Amino acid sequence: MLELRKINYDVLSEVLELRVRPEQEQFTMPVADSLLEAFAAREDDHTVLPFGLYDGDTAVGFIMFGYGVTDEFGIPTVRGESYCIWRLMIDRAYQGRGLGRQAMEAALDFLRDKPCGPASFVWLGVDPRNRAAIRLYEQFGFRETGDECDDEIVVARAL
């Protein structure tokens, strides 16, 4: 199973090197941009948790969670006491090995402990053209809510 490692100086350079395939760039932000967004959100007193995804000593992906995100982000009706999987990506060199599934398992295990406070739901936004991601999320019980967030469909599941 993949391990979530907090972003610190020990892992920063490895995580910043992670990239998706060129055809997937339309579906996610580069890790550096996500970390800048996390920094800005924290400065505005939002809870954001970025992690490197590790298989042993190898950085294979990136994930970022939000908690109790506010209306200013255009958040769907499942907000409030909920967690958001804000970013999830597996590096292009490690795709096709079941690591996306392992990343979701690790994410849900982490969130079940409610590390930032109580929550009933976990949700995320996904580009409707990203069929592979939608299939993955559906396998974990995520269902469309009817909401949209930044031109993405919102899927959610109970924690």
Side-chain angles (χ1 to χ4, degrees):
M1 184 152 151
L2 296 183
E3 175 189 355
L4 278 65
R5 292 191 189 166
K6 288 184 179 181
I7 305 295
N8 58 30
Y9 281 116
D10 294 335
V11 304
L12 182 62
S13 61
E14 296 169 341
V15 172
L16 286 172
E17 294 296 318
L18 298 169
R19 302 280 185 278
V20 294
R21 293 185 204 138
E23 66 272 15
Q24 297 168 322
E25 290 174 355
Q26 63 188 322
F27 300 133
T28 190
M29 293 177 97
V31 172
D33 292 354
S34 293
L35 291 174
L36 287 170
E37 194 173 50
F39 175 80
R42 284 181 176 175
E43 286 298 304
D44 286 339
D45 295 322
H46 298 289
T47 302
V48 183
L49 306 168
F51 293 94
L53 292 167
Y54 276 75
D55 184 10
D57 290 329
T58 304
V60 297
F62 174 77
I63 193 164
M64 189 164 82
F65 305 104
Y67 175 71
V69 184
T70 63
D71 288 335
E72 67 191 78
F73 291 102
I75 301 308
T77 56
V78 296
R79 68 184 177 278
E81 290 185 348
S82 65
Y83 287 90
C84 170
I85 300 175
W86 204 335
R87 299 281 187 273
L88 172 60
M89 62 85 76
I90 300 297
D91 184 81
R92 61 185 168 204
Y94 302 100
Q95 293 180 10
R97 301 180 187 185
L99 296 178
R101 172 174 273 291
Q102 289 182 40
M104 283 303 298
E105 289 170 355
L108 294 172
D109 284 346
F110 176 74
L111 295 176
R112 275 187 202 99
D113 291 337
K114 300 178 175 98
C116 300
S120 301
F121 293 93
V122 57
W123 65 274
L124 56 92
V126 60
D127 188 305
R129 299 169 296 168
N130 193 347
R131 301 305 308 160
I134 291 169
R135 281 191 302 276
L136 174 68
Y137 303 142
E138 287 174 345
Q139 291 173 6
F140 283 91
F142 285 86
R143 299 293 177 255
E144 288 188 39
T145 66
D147 291 310
E148 289 186 5
C149 181
D150 296 329
D151 297 323
E152 295 181 328
I153 58 173
V154 174
V155 295
R157 62 160 274 169
L159 269 178

